[in-house]
Amino acid sequence: MINKIKQMLAQVTDPEIPVLSLGDLGVIRNIEVDDEQVIVTITPTYSGCPAMEVMEQDIIDILTKEGRKVGLPTKIKVETQLSPAWTTDWITDKGKADLLKYGIMPPSRSGKIICPQCKSKDVELLSQFGSTACKALYRCTKCLEPFDYFKCH
Ligand SMILES: [Zn+2]
């Protein structure tokens, strides 16, 4: 049953990055199911992120809708766990590959940043803050495409 729930949750994506599922984002800490309810524990990517409320509702919606077909309890609870804090290291390798395909440079501990379009290493920082606070805006000096870099934290 837990695996079925995981599959359902794979359909829920980060509202800001539609290619990244919650599983690949690494925010799902725990899934519990008993006769009465399903409890999904998530760790927010960063505190005060408005996207988290959307995610919570999406989790409830999908588990209510899809869960009915497989006999899941209809009571769905989403709990948040703040410690340990989420880090970009929790993004799966698949998640990172999906980000790159989507045109966002995934978090890089080595600090090596390449252009998602042409893979050139010749990039320049335009702004520490891109479309959201967790991203920085870069530009490739080869193909001149601007792109977001998902900062490590
Ligand atoms: Zn480029």
Side-chain angles (χ1 to χ4, degrees):
M1 197 54 100
I2 298 285
N3 277 334
K4 282 206 180 102
I5 295 172
K6 278 188 186 158
Q7 282 167 17
M8 292 172 203
L9 292 178
Q11 300 171 48
V12 181
T13 55
D14 182 331
E16 286 170 1
I17 312 166
V19 289
L20 205 54
S21 78
L22 297 189
D24 286 325
L25 190 58
V27 299
I28 296 171
R29 296 271 63 75
N30 193 37
I31 299 167
E32 270 176 70
V33 56
D34 61 25
D35 293 342
E36 290 181 355
Q37 61 183 359
V38 181
I39 303 175
V40 179
T41 308
I42 58 173
T43 295
T45 48
Y46 51 97
S47 54
C49 178
M52 290 313 292
E53 279 176 37
V54 179
M55 282 187 212
E56 268 189 48
Q57 194 53 50
D58 286 350
I59 289 172
I60 293 170
D61 287 349
I62 196 96
L63 293 186
T64 306
K65 189 171 142 259
E66 299 290 319
R68 200 175 292 151
K69 298 175 195 163
V70 295
L72 270 190
T74 49
K75 191 172 164 202
I76 315 288
K77 271 170 72 179
V78 178
E79 291 184 348
T80 51
Q81 180 184 319
L82 296 174
S83 177
W86 180 85
T87 113
T88 44
D89 293 339
W90 292 0
I91 299 176
T92 64
D93 288 341
K94 180 185 176 293
K96 286 179 185 164
D98 286 346
L99 276 174
L100 200 60
K101 263 188 261 164
Y102 186 61
I104 296 174
M105 176 64 207
S108 160
R109 280 283 167 215
S110 66
K112 196 181 119 201
I113 295 173
I114 57 166
C115 167
Q117 307 296 335
C118 71
K119 312 289 184 279
S120 165
K121 291 186 203 95
D122 301 319
V123 297
E124 60 180 3
L125 176 68
L126 293 184
S127 164
Q128 273 299 339
F129 298 99
S131 56
T132 61
C134 61
K135 301 188 203 82
L137 186 63
Y138 276 79
R139 182 170 59 195
C140 173
T141 52
K142 204 169 164 202
C143 72
L144 302 180
E145 282 293 325
F147 63 90
D148 273 335
Y149 166 55
F150 200 129
K151 288 184 272 190
C152 293
H153 77 114

